[in-house]
Amino acid sequence: MTTEAKPSDLLSDKHVDTIRKTPDSQTVLANLGLLQDFAGTWQGQGFNLIARPDFEGNANLYLQVNQTRETLEIHPIGSAIPNRGFGQKDISLFGLTYLQKISDTFTGGALHIEPGIWVTQPDTQYPNETAPQGTQIIARMASIPHGNALLAQGTASSFSGAPTLKTPAAEYAFSVFPSFNSTPFRAALSPLSPIINAAGSSEKLTAPALTPPAPPFTQYDLTVLGSNVNPRTPFGTTPPDPPLPGAINGVAMQDVINDPITLLQAVINSQVARGHTFEGTVLNIATQKQLTFLTQPNQPNGPTVSVNVLDGAGGIENILFLEGGEPQGLRGPNAQTAQVYATFWIEKVQPANGSPFMQLQYAQMTVLNFPILRALPNVVNLGWPHISVATLTKDFF
């Protein structure tokens, strides 16, 4: 399916021509190494969850959830991308440009548009950065129209077996991240990392376990009907969205709210039951090297684990509105993007009977920091998970 990349294949020790022209298509794809099957047009369905400040009701929080449709166009960059150096000889990056468009499945309303670039980096001596055998250092650069720009780095590696499912070795097969849970948590002052809730947590059970206990945000509890004091999609939208279903693809809606990645697992479980097999490439990236997670659901004061993202690095820049004006702490009350991590599974799916096809799944966590007034005398600063997941299939190459 893919061609294992070697430093010599990536021209890391070769002269970079001043005039760069595009070689034949086979060479262009080979230079991408483990990213070569990323190229193409992908379409499919997904789910998006985001908490945001609310000025129309009395709760200060609006929980927006959307079933989504998505188109992701990815095009190889034909020529090498030279990075000049004094610490060592020049290196060449190879990459792909992309344009992601996401809209609401039912209303067609725009939700997200994102241009960006993925690149591969060869091993280097200055700094000394070497990917394990059979893997590649990768980076994603993205521009988001809210006024954010991010760089998330990590590693691409091959896999064989059913992706996304829970295994004895990982919460999600081939992902290095143990949680994509939606329950908010206390925001950490920069440059510290927040402590993200464990998979399977719920806001309903986590909030009362805090020290001191806090009333939960009932927007996350679907047994509490929406109103002007409990605003969430589809309540209060204009025009109204269709009512939230009881389940999506057989997954109870409350489980989807808590852990949207369960939708990806439902797809794989269905395909495994029909005899499909899988191989492919997994991409694990983050905007920082280390992330911290709770290990037990609904235990906000419980044990934690620190995850070191292999070759993880990067950061996020925000426009002045998002940075705010406070000289310390969270630097203001507006919703600021603080952290991003994601896993992409590029899957070659082989049905029990029939031809193989290409499938792309991803789960992405974006942490938004903003304070909120609760039933307390002061403002509480929280990190709010913004989670996006999708299952796409390759359309036209």
Side-chain angles (χ1 to χ4, degrees), residues 326-372:
E326 300 294 330
Q328 296 178 341
L330 296 177
R331 296 195 291 177
N334 298 326
Q336 181 188 57
T337 305
Q339 185 181 81
V340 176
Y341 63 88
T343 300
F344 288 73
W345 295 265
I346 307 170
E347 305 158 1
K348 179 181 178 181
V349 186
Q350 176 62 64
N353 297 294
S355 300
F357 62 92
M358 295 303 298
Q359 182 169 273
L360 173 65
Q361 294 186 298
Y362 70 82
Q364 177 172 289
M365 165 76 84
T366 301
V367 176
L368 302 175
N369 285 345
F370 60 87
I372 194 162

Side-chain angles (χ1 to χ4, degrees), residues 55 135 168 235 237 318 382 390:
F55 291 99
T135 71
F235 306 108
T237 58
N318 298 283
L382 295 177

Side-chain angles (χ1 to χ4, degrees), residues 6-18 20 31 79-95 119-130 137-139 153:
K6 299 182 179 62
S8 59
D9 296 332
L10 301 177
L11 307 181
S12 60
D13 56 351
K14 299 180 181 178
H15 173 70
V16 180
D17 292 332
T18 301
R20 291 168 286 138
N31 284 332
S79 64
I81 306 163
N83 271 22
R84 312 299 184 184
F86 286 100
Q88 69 168 74
K89 292 182 179 179
D90 298 347
I91 64 171
S92 286
L93 312 182
F94 293 91
V119 295
T120 65
Q121 178 195 301
D123 296 343
T124 57
Q125 293 80 48
Y126 188 87
N128 186 8
E129 190 170 16
T130 303
I137 301 168
I138 58 171
Q153 189 169 300

Side-chain angles (χ1 to χ4, degrees), residues 12 32 55 67 93 106 118 128 156 223 244 252 324 351 378 396:
S12 60
L32 291 171
F55 291 99
Q67 291 178 253
L93 312 182
F106 299 104
W118 287 85
N128 186 8
T223 65
L244 291 173
N378 59 341
F396 295 101

Side-chain angles (χ1 to χ4, degrees), residues 96-119:
L96 313 100
T97 63
Y98 71 87
L99 180 63
Q100 181 185 42
K101 296 180 181 179
I102 303 176
S103 60
D104 182 89
T105 296
F106 299 104
T107 67
L111 293 175
H112 184 73
I113 187 168
E114 177 185 319
I117 295 175
W118 287 85
V119 295

Side-chain angles (χ1 to χ4, degrees), residues 38-289:
F38 221 176
T41 298
W42 305 83
Q43 296 189 17
Q45 308 293 318
F47 182 82
N48 183 78
L49 178 148
I50 183 171
R52 55 183 173 85
D54 178 53
F55 291 99
E56 297 177 3
N58 299 317
N60 291 340
L61 171 67
Y62 186 95
L63 184 65
Q64 181 174 334
V65 294
N66 301 87
Q67 291 178 253
T68 60
R69 62 188 183 200
E70 178 173 340
T71 299
L72 178 59
E73 298 177 350
I74 306 177
H75 300 284
I77 300 171
S79 64
I81 306 163
N83 271 22
R84 312 299 184 184
F86 286 100
Q88 69 168 74
K89 292 182 179 179
D90 298 347
I91 64 171
S92 286
L93 312 182
F94 293 91
L96 313 100
T97 63
Y98 71 87
L99 180 63
Q100 181 185 42
K101 296 180 181 179
I102 303 176
S103 60
D104 182 89
T105 296
F106 299 104
T107 67
L111 293 175
H112 184 73
I113 187 168
E114 177 185 319
I117 295 175
W118 287 85
V119 295
T120 65
Q121 178 195 301
D123 296 343
T124 57
Q125 293 80 48
Y126 188 87
N128 186 8
E129 190 170 16
T130 303
Q133 182 65 31
T135 71
Q136 280 182 279
I137 301 168
I138 58 171
R140 170 184 163 204
M141 293 156 276
S143 297
I144 295 88
H146 293 292
N148 319 106
L150 70 87
L151 170 64
Q153 189 169 300
T155 303
S157 58
S158 299
F159 72 85
S160 179
T164 78
L165 303 183
K166 184 177 177 63
T167 70
E171 186 68 32
Y172 318 108
F174 314 115
S175 174
V176 300
F177 306 109
S179 176
F180 288 90
N181 183 262
S182 69
T183 305
F185 41 80
R186 283 194 185 276
L189 301 181
S190 179
L192 299 177
S193 177
I195 301 176
I196 298 166
N197 285 288
S201 297
S202 70
E203 167 65 11
K204 181 178 182 179
L205 297 178
T206 298
L210 289 167
T211 304
F217 290 104
T218 54
Q219 293 89 337
Y220 290 83
D221 181 1
L222 298 186
T223 65
V224 181
L225 296 179
S227 68
N228 65 330
V229 295
N230 189 36
R232 62 170 174 251
T233 305
F235 306 108
T237 58
T238 304
D241 288 348
L244 291 173
I248 302 177
N249 295 337
V251 181
M253 195 65 202
Q254 186 63 66
D255 292 335
V256 174
I257 294 294
N258 294 346
D259 294 279
I261 199 171
T262 53
L263 292 174
L264 306 187
Q265 295 173 325
V267 172
I268 299 301
N269 277 324
S270 175
Q271 292 175 333
V272 169
R274 287 177 281 147
H276 293 27
T277 58
F278 307 82
E279 63 175 325
T281 299
V282 64
L283 317 177
N284 286 293
I285 57 171
T287 53
Q288 59 195 64
K289 176 70 174 178

